[in-house]
Amino acid sequence: MTIFGNLRGLFTSDMAIDLGTANTLIYVKGKGIVLSEPSVVAYHVKDGVKKVLAVGEDAKLMLGRTPGSIEAIRPMREGVIADFDTAEEMIKHFIRKVHKRSTFSKPKIIVCVPHGATPVEKRAIRQSVLSAGARRAGLIAEPIAAAIGAGMPITDPTGNMVVDIGGGTTEVAVLSLGDIVYARSVRVGGDRMDEAIISYLRRQQNLLVGETTAERIKTSIGTARMPDDGRGTSMQVRGRDLLNGVPKEIEVTQAQVAEALAEPVQQICEAVMTALETTPPDLAADIVDRGVMLTGGGSLLGDLDLALREQTGLAISVADEPLNCVALGTGKALEYEKQLRHAIDYDS
């Protein structure tokens, strides 16, 4: 029996993919998360023919630093596919990376999609996964995957609220009995925060910085609330001086970053407030007891839980592994498919 089990393990390679705007994570059945890389593809363009140079980590290093013949792009925008061919190449590359040997059977793949994705966007994701070599492609709503990954008891007849802040979208959802009671997808996330930092520095400091620098500022000293001392910690930032066109280094403080991020943070708070106002009263009572769970990379922004607590008056907690929640939840949906089959959509 063990030998048979091992043999079957060689043939089956079912996986769950968290196809994110910023990062792609792959969960293989029985093994857990085996890959986590940026959703970036670098191309070499010669005579109009594109040839993939690098995918993931290597390609991310090229963002904003490429010569004319090389293009580094992110095929995902706001949680959905913006560049169909590139996304397909990226998925193929990651699947090959996970399965170094050639498998005898095509894997069954479950992918998470934002709740607000249109049928066309869903079809594009499904088609990309099938073209990349999947036997069958299932879709699961991101809020359900995030709640499962955060360990919330979503199959119970009680209200659970999850706020998943990704790179492109923020999903706010109230779940009960294993399905969505209310969900709203706002197109604001980590990318919008980076853009807010870039435009703030351009406006206030006449300094032009790239996406990579803006992301570094956000992850190093980013905060959702004004520091108590009105300044907070600071860091040195390099960019191009817009007045005389030469490279320049300036000091950026936490207070400036909080000011820059005020608008995207406010949009997230408003989405949570709207969800609470629309929730049926009995479920709202459960949420008062249980509080709100934050997942996704955006939830790592400093003091975001406090900013939300001040707005809503509810207990706000951040999941243990916010970056991996959606991938873990999608993986669990794959492992416990029978119990969660109502949440997985296999139809085209």
Side-chain angles (χ1 to χ4, degrees):
M1 190 64 200
T2 325
I3 296 168
F4 177 70
N6 289 343
L7 270 174
R8 205 177 62 172
L10 282 173
F11 298 134
T12 57
S13 50
D14 294 349
M15 55 178 86
I17 302 179
D18 170 12
L19 200 57
T21 308
N23 296 292
T24 296
L25 286 85
I26 294 185
Y27 178 109
V28 173
K29 196 171 184 176
K31 290 183 186 170
I33 293 172
V34 293
L35 179 135
S36 172
E37 292 213 24
S39 305
V40 186
V41 179
Y43 272 118
H44 184 273
V45 185
K46 194 178 180 185
D47 305 328
V49 179
K50 288 180 173 183
K51 185 173 175 243
V52 178
L53 267 186
V55 179
E57 207 65 67
D58 301 334
K60 191 181 182 185
L61 297 172
M62 300 181 190
L63 273 179
R65 293 187 168 94
T66 55
S69 60
I70 295 174
E71 211 180 323
I73 59 167
R74 290 168 62 177
M76 305 295 294
R77 277 272 164 237
E78 295 176 341
V80 292
I81 293 176
D83 186 321
F84 193 83
D85 297 334
T86 314
E88 201 175 297
E89 284 296 330
M90 183 179 78
I91 297 165
K92 271 183 193 162
H93 174 89
F94 288 147
I95 292 174
R96 276 200 300 269
K97 197 165 182 178
V98 169
H99 293 288
K100 293 185 176 68
R101 54 183 166 64
S102 64
T103 45
F104 292 93
S105 69
K106 289 183 166 189
K108 175 166 66 183
I109 296 178
I110 295 178
V111 189
C112 64
V113 290
H115 176 73
T118 63
V120 173
E121 289 167 338
K122 285 180 183 175
R123 199 177 305 127
I125 290 177
R126 194 191 302 277
Q127 209 48 56
S128 280
V129 172
L130 289 169
S131 306
R135 173 176 87 248
R136 215 172 163 212
L139 304 180
I140 185 170
E142 216 165 282
I144 295 180
I148 297 169
M152 297 171 85
I154 65 158
T155 50
D156 295 356
T158 51
N160 295 279
M161 187 172 190
V162 66
V163 180
D164 178 47
I165 307 162
T169 55
T170 293
E171 309 268 320
V172 183
V174 177
L175 306 152
S176 176
L177 291 167
D179 216 340
I180 295 171
V181 176
Y182 168 89
R184 183 156 178 247
S185 186
V186 220
R187 304 230 160 173
V188 57
D191 287 353
R192 194 61 61 84
M193 292 177 192
D194 294 345
E195 285 164 21
I197 291 170
I198 292 170
S199 63
Y200 177 87
L201 290 175
R202 185 194 286 138
R203 249 189 355 260
Q204 304 290 335
Q205 305 284 336
N206 288 316
L207 187 79
L208 189 63
V209 297
E211 281 177 32
T212 314
T213 306
E215 192 183 356
R216 204 175 73 245
I217 296 169
K218 178 185 72 185
T219 51
S220 304
I221 60 168
T223 178
R225 287 167 82 244
M226 194 56 77
D228 297 332
D229 63 356
R231 181 184 154 80
T233 54
S234 64
M235 70 182 281
Q236 295 298 317
V237 174
R238 299 184 191 94
R240 190 173 85 224
D241 189 334
L242 287 168
L243 296 176
N244 52 24
V246 296
K248 179 173 99 167
E249 185 175 68
I250 63 161
E251 186 184 46
V252 174
T253 65
Q254 252 181 328
Q256 289 172 318
V257 180
E259 200 180 320
L261 295 177
E263 195 186 335
V265 167
Q266 187 54 38
Q267 284 176 297
I268 293 170
C269 291
E270 280 169 11
V272 174
M273 290 301 287
T274 309
L276 290 167
E277 285 163 18
T278 327
T279 305
D282 288 345
L283 293 177
D286 293 337
I287 293 166
V288 172
D289 288 344
R290 292 163 174 271
V292 177
M293 181 68 81
L294 298 185
T295 66
S299 64
L300 295 168
L301 182 71
D303 287 345
L304 181 61
D305 50 342
L306 292 175
L308 281 167
R309 196 172 299 160
E310 284 168 6
Q311 286 258 354
T312 61
L314 295 171
I316 311 276
S317 52
V318 181
D320 293 340
E321 294 180 73
L323 283 165
N324 298 345
C325 274
V326 175
L328 287 169
T330 313
K332 277 185 187 162
L334 186 68
E335 305 269 6
Y336 303 104
E337 203 176 332
K338 282 193 173 71
Q339 295 91 313
L340 292 161
R341 62 173 171 266
H342 64 278
I344 304 166
D345 169 25
Y346 279 116
D347 305 328
S348 52

